[in-house]
Amino acid sequence: MIVIGVPTTGAIPVRVVGSIDNVLLNRKDVLPHYIEGSLVYDARARIVNYALSQGADLLFLDSDIHFPLEGFDKLVAHNTDIVSGLYYGRHPGHTQPIAYKTVKPKTLFREPVLEHIDHIEPYMEVQGAGLGFCLIRNKVLQKLAPLKVNPFEPFGGLGEDFSF
C-alpha cells in the first residue's frame, strides 16, 4: 500500500488532481490522503501518522506538483528507503532542481548552507531534496513512530523539507 499524502491550504490545481487520478486508475494499492492547513510541517506529520496507521509507504506530493504515471512508477520501483523525483521551484526562471549536495542548518556562527547539485544523473545521492515528490518507505516511517517531536518542524533557517 502507498499513501499519496498531500499537504494543502485548500486548493489543488486540476493538473495535480489529474496526476493523482491517473495513478488511482492504474494502481489498486494507492490511497490518497489530503490534509488542509496553513502549517505544512504539521500537515506532513499528520500524513506520516496516517501512513503509519495504514502500514503503508508514503509518497509526499506538494499540492502544486503534477507528474506522469511513469514518474510515480519509477519512484516505486526504486529499491531505496527514500527517493525523490527532481523538480524545479515554482518561481519563473528557477534553473536549479530542489536537490542539494550540501545541507547545513543555521548556527550562531553561520548562515544556513544549501549547495546545489552541480550536475544531474538519472539516479544520484544527495544530502537534501524537496519533499514535493518524495517516496518514503514504511520502514523509515516506523523508525519515527511514535512521533514525539515533529521531524518536519523548520529549524536553523531551513524549511520543513530539509529539517526532515
Side-chain angles (χ1 to χ4, degrees):
M1 175 68 72
I2 301 168
V3 167
I4 297 179
V6 185
T8 176
T9 57
I12 301 176
V14 170
R15 291 179 74 184
V16 177
V17 173
S19 296
I20 296 167
D21 284 351
N22 196 20
V23 171
L24 295 174
L25 290 170
N26 288 283
R27 307 244 341 197
K28 302 299 179 215
D29 61 341
V30 175
L31 182 63
H33 188 65
Y34 307 92
I35 296 289
E36 184 178 357
S38 60
L39 298 175
V40 175
Y41 66 91
D42 178 63
R44 289 200 192 283
R46 292 168 47 204
I47 290 168
V48 165
N49 284 331
Y50 180 75
L52 283 166
S53 76
Q54 300 300 308
D57 293 339
L58 171 60
L59 175 75
F60 272 127
L61 181 67
D62 281 357
S63 62
D64 61 349
I65 301 289
H66 59 92
F67 58 93
L69 180 61
E70 301 83 39
F72 176 86
D73 290 338
K74 282 181 181 181
L75 290 186
V76 172
H78 206 284
N79 188 23
T80 190
D81 292 346
I82 302 173
V83 60
S84 177
L86 287 182
Y87 58 93
Y88 293 84
R90 65 179 65 117
H91 305 293
H94 201 111
T95 60
Q96 294 288 329
I98 309 298
Y100 301 90
K101 62 182 176 181
T102 304
V103 177
K104 294 180 182 176
K106 179 180 181 177
T107 67
L108 184 60
F109 303 106
R110 107 174 151 243
E111 290 299 310
V113 175
L114 292 173
E115 183 181 2
H116 282 279
I117 56 175
D118 50 13
H119 67 285
I120 297 174
E121 298 175 22
Y123 298 101
M124 57 194 289
E125 190 169 314
V126 297
Q127 196 173 49
L131 291 175
F133 188 55
C134 182
L135 179 68
I136 304 171
R137 299 293 180 180
N138 186 263
K139 67 181 181 179
V140 174
L141 301 177
Q142 288 176 10
K143 290 179 182 179
L144 299 174
L147 286 180
K148 293 180 172 58
V149 176
N150 186 336
F152 304 100
E153 188 165 343
F155 77 96
L158 302 174
E160 90 286 347
D161 309 71
F162 303 109
S163 296
F164 173 73

